[in-house]
C-alpha cells in the first residue's frame, strides 16, 4: 500500500488527498478505509452533484483495489488493460490484485492517467 501511495503521488503530485475511514454519517461501516487522489464532480441522475476523488486505493483481506472513477465507458478498463496488466481482475472502474508484484506497474500507471484525463475532460466540458 505504501509503495502504491508513493507511486500515485508521483503520478499526481499536486492532487487533493482524501482519507476515508469507510464510515457513513451515522458512523456505520459501509466500505473499507481508503485513500483518494485528485478531485472531480460526480453528477447524479437526480441532478445533484458532489466532489469526490478520481483515483482510490483500498486494501482488504483479499488484496488491493485501485478505483478509477468517472470513466464514461464502463467496458474501457477491462477491454484495454485486463490482458496486459498481469494477475488482476479488471471491472468497469476497479483493478483488483493480491500484491504489487502480480501486476505491471506501467500498465497501472497508464490506466490511472487515462482515468484522470477522462474525468478532467468531462469536468472541463461542464464548466
Amino acid at each position: 500500500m505504501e509503495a502504491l501511495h508513493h507511486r500515485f503521488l508521483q503520478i499526481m503530485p499536486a492532487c487533493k488527498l482524501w482519507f476515508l475511514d469507510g464510515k457513513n454519517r451515522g458512523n456505520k461501516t459501509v466500505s473499507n478505509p481508503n485513500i483518494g487522489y485528485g478531485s472531480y464532480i460526480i453528477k447524479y441522475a437526480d441532478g445533484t452533484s458532489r466532489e469526490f476523488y478520481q483515483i482510490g486505493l483500498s486494501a482488504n483481506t483479499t488484496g488491493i483495489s485501485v478505483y478509477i472513477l468517472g470513466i464514461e465507458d464502463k467496458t474501457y478498463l477491462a477491454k484495454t488493460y485486463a490482458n496486459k496488466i498481469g494477475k488482476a481482475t479488471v471491472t468497469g472502474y476497479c483493478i483488483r490484485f493480491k500484491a504489487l508484484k502480480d501486476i505491471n506497474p506501467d500498465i497501472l500507471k497508464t490506466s490511472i492517467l487515462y482515468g484522470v484525463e477522462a474525468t478532467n475532460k468531462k469536468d472541463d466540458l461542464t464548466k
Side-chain angles (χ1 to χ4, degrees):
M1 286 290 288
E2 189 173 336
L4 282 170
H5 174 68
H6 289 294
R7 284 180 192 224
F8 290 3
L9 290 177
Q10 288 174 339
I11 294 169
M12 305 169 67
C15 71
K16 179 177 180 174
L17 288 176
W18 303 67
F19 298 98
L20 305 171
D21 63 5
K23 297 184 183 207
N24 65 12
R25 291 184 183 154
N27 207 30
K28 179 181 176 191
T29 300
V30 294
S31 71
N32 291 314
N34 56 84
I35 304 170
Y37 305 84
S39 175
Y40 84 110
I41 303 299
I42 297 174
K43 297 194 186 326
Y44 296 102
D46 68 1
T48 62
S49 62
R50 74 174 176 127
E51 181 184 23
F52 203 62
Y53 58 73
Q54 294 170 299
I55 307 299
L57 178 61
S58 179
N60 58 47
T61 56
T62 62
I64 299 167
S65 295
V66 175
Y67 302 100
I68 303 173
L69 305 178
I71 298 173
E72 294 282 330
D73 180 354
K74 297 302 178 201
T75 65
Y76 181 84
L77 284 181
K79 286 189 310 192
T80 308
Y81 303 112
N83 294 329
K84 302 176 190 175
I85 199 158
K87 291 172 27 177
T89 301
V90 183
T91 66
Y93 65 91
C94 183
I95 299 172
R96 284 188 201 93
F97 48 94
K98 289 198 183 287
L100 189 53
K101 67 177 177 55
D102 293 336
I103 63 164
N104 181 324
D106 294 329
I107 299 298
L108 180 62
K109 178 180 179 180
T110 300
S111 66
I112 289 169
L113 289 172
Y114 174 82
V116 170
E117 287 178 23
T119 54
N120 287 345
K121 283 181 187 175
K122 191 167 50 171
D123 281 352
D124 287 345
L125 291 174
T126 61
K127 289 181 181 176

